[in-house]
Amino acid sequence: MDNESANRPLLSSLPNHPQQRKRRFRRCKTAPSTDIFSNLDKKNTSYLNSNSFFKGLHPNFRLVALFLALYLFIGSTCFYLVRNQITGKKTNGILDSLYFCVVTMTTVGYGDLVPDSVASKLLACMFVFSGMAIVSLFLSNAADYLVEKQEVLLIKALSQRNNSGEHQMGKEIEADRVKYKFLVATGALVMLIIVGTLILSMVEKLSIVDAFYCVCATITTLGYGDKSFSTTGGRVFAIFWILISTICVAQFFLYLAEMHAEHRQRVLVNWVLTRKLTFVDLEAADLDDDDVVSSAEFVIYKLKEMGKINQEDVALVMDEFENLDFDQSGAISKSDLILAQSSQE
């Protein structure tokens, strides 16, 4: 064996050898890797890792319940105190106050209960804004969590049905994550529409068409007011159903828009990766003007074309690199890192 062949394994093990740099670059990630599967059943093999995308979507339900209960308690109390200044179809003072509070918070506004004094109108103005803030900041997260819980069950069922490996199934779920959310939100919305229509038909004695019409006017927060919940039983149901259904509709359209945007992004990525490169592309990708495009420069150029990053992002990262490259050698070593950190102290 000649000296060159004998030294090849040694050279390839050096940190700055081209083969080693290429291998390390291909393994490079922008963040620590996470597995998509964590423990769904403690007795069985784990399906979803605790660091998966499900974890970050779990809201603090104690905080959600606290803000919601506080809002409903204060709002109901205030509207109960001015109940004689609110006109319309009334059933029970406390129930009507809570019902009016929910209708105001969700901006449904049927018109079956209407403020009829300066004090009640000012209270309604104040609680509609604070209620919308609570819905947008907290309750949407709660609905997102419920969708995620259903998504976990859907993923588990698909995994068992397809008998695919955890890694392969994880990649498929990650790729179609928004689609699964949209399907679950669609199913929940259809169920809420059916339940609302049946309750309005049976409790409020509306025809199926009028009940469905009232449901659509409610969940979209149109609230025409010609059809609404006017009985005691109907308003008890409405307090919970209106909250859940209006949030579910918001999530449905959010996922629909997100799915459309993701589809457009995938089309763009596919176009970027399949189109033929030109000399103009090579010139644009050559960041250091040495007439050669390295793998790093090629990746950056493609990411910019896909819209994943922009020139400002690259400039910020390069500024940080130059600050850490203390000896200006074009590479960051441990000594550079130590010197750069010590100079900042």
Side-chain angles (χ1 to χ4, degrees):
M1 184 181 295
D2 56 13
N3 292 335
E4 182 179 355
S5 300
N7 292 332
R8 188 171 300 160
L10 178 61
L11 290 173
S12 62
S13 64
L14 294 176
N16 293 325
H17 190 267
Q19 293 181 0
Q20 187 73 6
R21 289 201 303 270
K22 184 177 180 180
R23 193 177 300 113
R24 291 172 60 192
F25 178 78
R26 289 184 179 275
R27 291 201 310 266
C28 182
K29 294 180 173 60
T30 57
S33 63
T34 57
D35 296 327
I36 194 170
F37 293 97
S38 67
N39 188 10
L40 288 179
D41 187 352
K42 293 183 179 179
K43 297 180 180 180
N44 300 325
T45 304
S46 63
Y47 281 89
L48 296 169
N49 188 282
S50 61
N51 291 326
S52 69
F53 58 82
F54 297 102
K55 183 179 179 181
L57 296 174
H58 295 184
N60 187 336
F61 278 106
R62 292 183 180 178
L63 187 61
V64 172
L66 175 62
F67 274 88
L68 178 59
L70 188 63
Y71 173 88
L72 293 176
F73 174 76
I74 296 176
S76 300
T77 302
C78 292
F79 290 127
Y80 180 78
L81 294 175
V82 296
R83 63 189 182 280
N84 295 327
Q85 302 173 33
I86 297 177
T87 60
K89 302 175 184 178
K90 297 184 179 180
T91 57
N92 176 274
I94 298 177
L95 178 61
D96 289 343
S97 300
L98 183 58
Y99 168 76
F100 183 74
C101 189
V102 171
V103 170
T104 301
M105 178 176 65
T106 56
T107 70
V108 171
Y110 286 124
D112 50 353
L113 293 176
V114 182
D116 195 31
S117 68
V118 174
S120 59
K121 290 178 180 178
L122 291 177
L123 279 175
C125 293
M126 180 179 66
F127 278 99
V128 70
F129 282 109
S130 57
M132 291 175 65
I134 291 177
V135 170
S136 61
L137 293 176
F138 299 104
L139 296 183
S140 61
N141 291 331
D144 203 13
Y145 171 72
L146 294 177
V147 171
E148 293 291 347
K149 293 291 287 185
Q150 295 300 318
E151 186 180 289
V152 171
L153 299 177
L154 177 61
I155 291 171
K156 184 177 180 180
L158 288 173
S159 178
Q160 292 175 344
R161 178 180 178 182
N162 297 335
N163 294 321
S164 56
E166 291 186 0
H167 180 68
Q168 180 63 29
M169 193 63 192
K171 291 198 298 183
E172 293 176 2
I173 296 303
E174 182 66 25
D176 295 327
R177 174 186 173 190
V178 177
K179 184 177 75 173
Y180 286 123
K181 283 185 175 183
F182 175 75
L183 292 176
V184 173
T186 301
L189 180 59
V190 171
M191 183 62 65
L192 287 167
I193 291 175
I194 293 174
V195 172
T197 302
L198 292 176
I199 294 296
L200 279 165
S201 178
M202 293 184 296
V203 177
E204 299 294 337
K205 306 303 180 182
L206 299 178
S207 66
I208 294 296
V209 174
D210 286 341
F212 180 71
Y213 162 77
C214 182
V215 165
C216 293
T218 300
I219 63 178
T220 56
T221 70
L222 282 174
Y224 287 124
D226 52 340
K227 305 294 181 182
S228 62
F229 297 90
S230 58
T231 64
T232 302
R235 288 186 176 178
V236 171
F237 169 77
I239 289 171
F240 302 97
W241 180 80
I242 291 175
L243 277 173
I244 299 172
S245 59
T246 52
I247 294 167
C248 187
V249 168
Q251 295 298 110
F252 170 81
F253 286 108
L254 173 64
Y255 293 143
L256 179 62
E258 189 176 356
M259 190 169 61
H260 177 67
E262 187 178 84
H263 173 71
R264 294 186 62 182
Q265 180 67 28
R266 287 183 180 181
V267 171
L268 175 61
V269 168
N270 183 65
W271 177 81
V272 169
L273 294 178
T274 55
R275 77 179 186 87
K276 293 182 179 180
L277 290 178
T278 64
F279 291 113
V280 176
D281 294 320
L282 291 179
E283 184 178 352
D286 186 14
L287 297 178
D288 53 7
D289 297 324
D290 60 353
D291 296 327
V292 176
V293 177
S294 66
S295 57
E297 290 174 327
F298 183 77
V299 169
I300 291 174
Y301 178 71
K302 284 295 183 180
L303 289 176
K304 288 168 65 178
E305 263 197 323
M306 295 175 189
K308 304 286 187 180
I309 59 176
N310 54 42
Q311 186 59 41
E312 289 74 17
D313 297 328
V314 176
L316 289 174
V317 173
M318 289 303 299
D319 288 340
E320 183 179 1
F321 180 87
E322 291 174 358
N323 292 333
L324 293 175
D325 184 16
F326 201 79
D327 58 3
Q328 302 299 311
S329 62
I332 300 175
S333 62
K334 291 182 179 179
S335 59
D336 287 330
L337 189 59
I338 295 173
L339 292 172
Q341 291 177 347
S342 61
S343 64
Q344 294 175 357
E345 294 178 355

